[in-house]
Amino acid sequence: VAAIDWQISSKGRGIFDVAYFIISSLEPDVRKANEMRLLKLWHDIVVDDGAKGYSYDEALFDYRKAILYCNVYTVIAVGSMDAANERGVALQKAWIRRRGAAMEDLDCAACMPE
């Protein structure tokens, strides 16, 4: 059995998937307690599997940029959702809180070009 999720598909670095999962799924306190360990684990696996010349510092910078990009989905979802859908509203509120905290905690704005 195989499944392909085309809901959010794009070409890019795998770190986007890591960022999307961590900042969307984990409450800020849980994220802060675990994200650097998870990011390091991901980086170690990528390097062990053959990625050459991709430092942990690059991965961290890419992670911070991916967090900014993840917020695009929040904006799109909030702008197109049915306010009568209580479950959807709760999800969007959680995303705004979690993703906003991640952007602030990791100073993601500093990743933007000047």
Side-chain angles (χ1 to χ4, degrees):
V1 174
I4 299 174
D5 180 358
W6 294 102
Q7 184 176 2
I8 300 174
S9 68
S10 64
K11 183 178 179 181
R13 294 184 180 227
I15 196 69
F16 173 82
D17 294 322
V18 175
Y20 187 88
F21 170 75
I22 290 174
I23 69 166
S24 299
S25 304
L26 303 177
E27 289 297 331
D29 59 331
V30 175
R31 175 190 47 81
K32 286 193 281 188
N34 293 284
E35 77 185 323
M36 291 304 132
R37 179 181 57 78
L38 293 170
L39 184 58
K40 179 78 169 99
L41 176 64
W42 175 84
H43 179 261
D44 289 347
I45 291 169
V46 167
V47 170
D48 288 347
D49 281 350
K52 299 199 184 328
Y54 189 52
S55 71
Y56 177 76
D57 288 339
E58 279 181 285
L60 179 57
F61 186 75
D62 289 344
Y63 175 72
R64 293 168 61 215
K65 288 191 307 185
I67 289 170
L68 288 173
Y69 189 72
C70 286
N71 206 45
V72 168
Y73 297 106
T74 307
V75 172
I76 291 168
V78 168
S80 63
M81 74 179 239
D82 176 5
N85 179 344
E86 292 180 24
R87 185 170 180 243
V89 170
L91 174 63
Q92 296 311 317
K93 285 181 178 180
W95 273 5
I96 290 167
R97 183 176 34 47
R98 292 170 183 167
R99 292 173 178 182
M103 286 187 285
E104 187 174 323
D105 293 342
L106 293 163
D107 191 20
C108 294
C111 298
M112 297 180 64
E114 295 185 23

